[in-house]
Amino acid sequence: MTASRIRAALGGALILSMAAVGLLPVTASAAASVTASAAASASAPTVVSTDKGAVRGAVSRGVERFVGIPYAASPAGSLRWKPPRPAARWTGVREATAFGNPCPVLPSGNGPRSETEDCLDINVWRPAGVRAGARLPVHVFIHGGGLTNGSGAQNDESKLVRETGVVGVSLNYRLGVFGFLGLPALTEEGGESGNYGFMDQQAALRWVQHNIAAFGGNPAAVTIDGESAGGWSVCGHLVSPGSRGLFARAVIQSGSCPSEPQAEAEAAGTAFAHQAGCDGTDQAAVLGCLRSASAGSLLDASRTFSAAFADGTPTFPVNVREAVDSGRFARVPLVVGANRDEGRTFAQGYIGAGKEAYLAFVQGVAGDRADEVLARYPWPEASDAYTAAYLVGAIMTDSGLIGGIGGCGQRSLVRTFERYTPTYSYEFGHRTGPGLTQITGYVWGAGHAAELAYIWPSFDNGTPIAPLFNADERRLAREMTQYWGAFTKTGRPHVARQSAWPAYNGKGLTLSLRAGGRSVLIDDDQVSAEHQCSLWDTMTVAHVS
């Protein structure tokens, strides 16, 4: 069954849930805007010279930050839907104390609407007092949001930097139709189309190679890390020829390795052009119409646009997952993980739904094998307002329905990677945390994105998360930060006086991250059983993204 047919079968509840957590845009007023980290103190760190000019940051609680630094030119006007161009030089000292503009996005839980195309900025954090030549390991985070929303401001690296002594980096990249529009005229013009946002990420990683030493970082010890669509991006960098040599290790959090053929990207782009009022057989005229349109009108026309990487292109010569399966990727040390209940974040739209809606969902996913799925996920005799959401969430998790994220898809991905390179597997297994937002009576479990606030307390989905942690959860936050810092430093997530985390290779062991110092190793048989992989490994499910 195709993804579009599954969307039709699942109805509006899934779409609304995905919008609420940022994988799709929402049309109503957005949640509160993403806030910057705590106000910096009056004292400023030493000015740093980049290849385009000098920047002055700010210092707070032992961390110096330099944010809103352009790494590429504004991709507006004639540069819309072209590979990123170098940023202009500036004279004097540029203030780098406030995050730059988010790239154009519709409002979502990941932030408010933005129409500003001048958005290709990068952010750097370092321990206070560190100077050029320190050669500290570098952690680069790529934000999620379904390739349609989010920004580098959501994942303030201060906590990771303060507690582990690495240099932290986050970045913006073009999103939605601005970053991932495929179109025949664009392919003819540039040799490919649909991968502009990914090219932005590559430009940002090249900026790191050229400039991070000036901030005290080591360009030979860069770890790239991404969650959700950021995880998709990390897998893309493992495969893309243009990303080789830009990093030394990688982390995929709740991600997978999707891409689609160039022709499919062009078909989706042609449909979008129609939505935007740019029709016709003259492809050059269609492109001209789109380039002359306002950012706001393009956003308004893009509410149903689904962003993806285009393969069969110079950026991705082959399908990304096929490349991984055949070992054609950068064989660097990896951390690959997902959350125990990924689907509960997406299933909240089924709160209040009854048995009939649940049965329709299963039929839409499984078709003529629906009875087999219902035998594993039966409707109970006693139900309540949350029953459908919990069952739908379990199926979404275990099947990898949402973008191939979690469950048996995650297990398959880890088992593939470990054949070729040192791989460390985790499952975020803390199931009683605060969730992304407060919904009376709803247990989020270890839902999608639930782990982010433990390492990046700046992350929220419109309401604060980290301030709600109890003592056990604060301990888990410290431990996860230490694991991520250790991997960034050494390529191994080994931390003294914390639960051992051996490589998956040859042992099939996954670290289940749990609150209160109770993280524990689970084996492949346990992972397979808890996600019903004996069923899902025999089925082909079209992923919705």
Side-chain angles (χ1 to χ4, degrees), residues 79-103:
L79 296 185
R80 187 185 280 172
W81 300 307
K82 287 189 177 180
R85 303 293 174 85
R89 294 183 179 276
W90 60 85
T91 58
V93 179
R94 183 187 183 103
E95 295 299 319
T97 58
F99 288 111
N101 301 308
C103 289

Side-chain angles (χ1 to χ4, degrees), residues 189-200:
E189 177 184 88
E192 68 174 292
S193 62
N195 293 318
Y196 308 104
F198 186 84
M199 294 177 191
D200 294 342

Side-chain angles (χ1 to χ4, degrees), residues 157-476:
E157 293 266 89
S158 294
K159 182 176 187 289
L160 185 68
V161 170
R162 183 182 304 111
E163 296 182 11
T164 71
V166 303
V167 172
V169 176
S170 73
L171 57 109
N172 290 349
Y173 55 96
R174 279 174 284 181
L175 301 163
V177 296
F178 296 88
F180 299 96
L181 180 71
L183 207 64
L186 286 170
T187 302
E188 182 176 355
E189 177 184 88
E192 68 174 292
S193 62
N195 293 318
Y196 308 104
F198 186 84
M199 294 177 191
D200 294 342
Q201 295 176 19
Q202 291 178 321
L205 292 175
R206 289 192 293 271
W207 184 96
V208 170
Q209 289 296 308
H210 296 153
N211 292 283
I212 207 64
F215 293 87
N218 182 358
V222 172
T223 296
I224 57 171
D225 182 2
E227 185 268 347
S228 194
W232 300 343
S233 299
V234 170
C235 191
H237 289 296
L238 291 171
V239 167
S240 179
S243 300
R244 292 297 171 92
L246 298 180
F247 58 94
R249 27 198 174 260
V251 182
I252 299 176
Q253 298 181 221
S254 298
S256 57
C257 300
S259 65
E260 66 182 18
Q262 177 75 85
E264 290 187 18
E266 291 177 0
T270 300
F272 164 75
H274 173 76
Q275 287 290 110
C278 294
D279 282 320
T281 57
D282 185 339
Q283 289 297 311
V286 170
L287 179 55
C289 174
L290 291 170
R291 279 207 171 117
S292 65
S294 69
S297 66
L298 295 176
L299 280 174
D300 291 337
S302 71
R303 298 182 190 278
T304 60
F305 182 82
S306 182
F309 302 143
D311 59 48
T313 61
T315 300
F316 300 110
V318 298
N319 176 275
V320 175
R321 182 56 193 260
E322 290 178 6
V324 170
D325 287 345
S326 60
R328 289 176 286 174
F329 63 90
R331 298 186 184 182
V332 299
L334 300 176
V335 165
V336 186
N339 296 355
R340 171 65 179 81
D341 306 295
E342 294 279 358
R344 286 207 185 180
T345 295
F346 308 114
Q348 61 183 279
Y350 282 86
I351 295 173
K355 182 177 181 179
E356 184 175 337
Y358 172 62
L359 295 177
F361 167 84
V362 174
Q363 182 64 43
V365 170
D368 59 7
R369 299 189 64 179
D371 287 346
E372 295 177 65
V373 174
L374 289 171
R376 302 287 188 107
Y377 306 84
W379 187 268
E381 291 186 10
S383 61
D384 59 25
Y386 309 104
T387 298
Y390 294 153
L391 288 169
V392 167
I395 292 172
M396 288 178 174
T397 300
D398 298 349
S399 67
L401 177 67
I402 307 299
I405 293 169
C408 302
Q410 164 73 19
R411 173 176 175 259
S412 172
L413 187 60
V414 170
R415 285 156 62 94
T416 298
F417 277 130
E418 69 93 15
R419 296 204 308 265
Y420 301 105
T421 196
T423 303
Y424 297 85
S425 172
Y426 77 86
E427 181 170 85
F428 182 77
H430 179 54
R431 308 182 74 186
T432 58
L436 301 191
T437 57
Q438 300 304 293
I439 301 174
T440 302
Y442 188 61
V443 179
W444 284 81
H448 186 69
E451 89 284 11
L452 289 176
Y454 290 79
I455 304 175
W456 299 276
S458 60
F459 175 83
D460 63 44
N461 206 234
T463 56
I465 299 170
L468 302 177
F469 289 165
N470 61 28
D472 283 350
E473 289 159 348
R474 289 191 293 273
R475 178 174 177 178
L476 176 58

